[in-house]
Amino acid sequence: LYFHGLDSFLSEEKKLILQRFGKVTSPLIDYRQVANINKVIELYAENAIADINLVIGSSMGGLVAYHVSEKYNKPCLLFNPAFCHNSLGWVEESIVSLNQNRTSMAHIVLGKKDDIIMYEDNVKINERNIHEPKTVITEDDMAHKIPVKLFEKYVEKFLAFVP
């Protein structure tokens, strides 16, 4: 299950990478029209979750993917998740309020040059609020947008850990 970022979508190039490993579900979501993360999960994850092995998300989709991971104990791969800033006001408090029952791995890839979700702020939230098991990876030259080659690299690494 892949959640794209705010005002974004899963590119065909990245979808083809994901399809090498299995079936891909990637709903097109207008986050601005949904009240909150729980509503996104209700609309786009609850009915599909029985068929889902893992969750991937980028930016706003990374925040949503983390919530799905927590709620359904699914492994997640997050690219520059919007834990600390987004224009919809879905912020850190939503992370703190989770039950934190996840025992599946969370891989979190952060770009040091991200000028939308500030790297330093995201690192602090990861340290304080995202519980184990987790792996936080820093890409020194990555900005907010995830280059296809880095996307492929981390999808392959993540899937090596997921049974």
Side-chain angles (χ1 to χ4, degrees):
L1 180 56
Y2 181 90
F3 289 99
H4 61 78
L6 182 65
D7 302 328
S8 184
F9 60 93
L10 176 61
S11 73
E12 193 60 32
E13 211 171 7
K14 290 177 181 176
K15 185 174 184 177
L16 288 171
I17 291 166
L18 294 172
Q19 286 176 330
R20 292 191 338 232
F21 302 97
K23 182 182 175 199
V24 178
T25 301
S26 180
L28 190 57
I29 304 169
D30 183 351
Y31 293 107
R32 296 178 192 284
Q33 299 300 315
V34 184
N36 56 46
I37 293 169
N38 290 328
K39 191 66 174 173
V40 172
I41 293 171
E42 177 187 324
L43 292 171
Y44 300 102
E46 283 182 3
N47 292 334
I49 204 66
D51 299 323
I52 302 302
N53 296 325
L54 55 99
V55 187
I56 300 174
S58 178
S59 192
M60 180 65 83
L63 177 63
V64 173
Y66 184 73
H67 278 261
V68 171
S69 172
E70 287 282 315
K71 184 171 183 174
Y72 298 105
N73 195 29
K74 301 289 183 179
C76 64
L77 172 61
L78 314 174
F79 293 95
N80 290 327
F83 288 151
C84 57
H85 167 77
N86 60 73
S87 60
L88 300 181
W90 300 351
V91 294
E92 181 179 350
E93 295 76 29
S94 64
I95 298 296
V96 175
S97 68
L98 293 175
N99 291 333
Q100 300 184 343
N101 291 324
R102 179 181 48 78
T103 58
S104 294
M105 176 59 79
H107 282 237
I108 304 165
V109 182
L110 302 176
K112 257 192 171 173
K113 293 186 177 177
D114 191 337
D115 60 352
I116 295 175
I117 310 296
M118 302 309 291
Y119 170 79
E120 294 82 8
D121 295 337
N122 234 350
V123 167
K124 288 177 191 170
I125 286 182
N126 272 286
E127 289 171 355
R128 281 195 318 256
N129 300 339
I130 308 303
H131 66 89
E132 301 290 340
K134 68 179 174 184
T135 299
V136 180
I137 303 155
T138 297
E139 272 294 329
D140 290 336
D141 294 323
M142 189 173 79
H144 191 67
K145 185 173 179 172
I146 312 306
V148 172
K149 287 291 185 194
L150 283 179
F151 182 83
E152 182 175 38
K153 172 185 173 180
Y154 288 112
V155 165
E156 288 174 354
K157 281 186 173 197
F158 173 65
L159 291 174
F161 285 99
V162 177

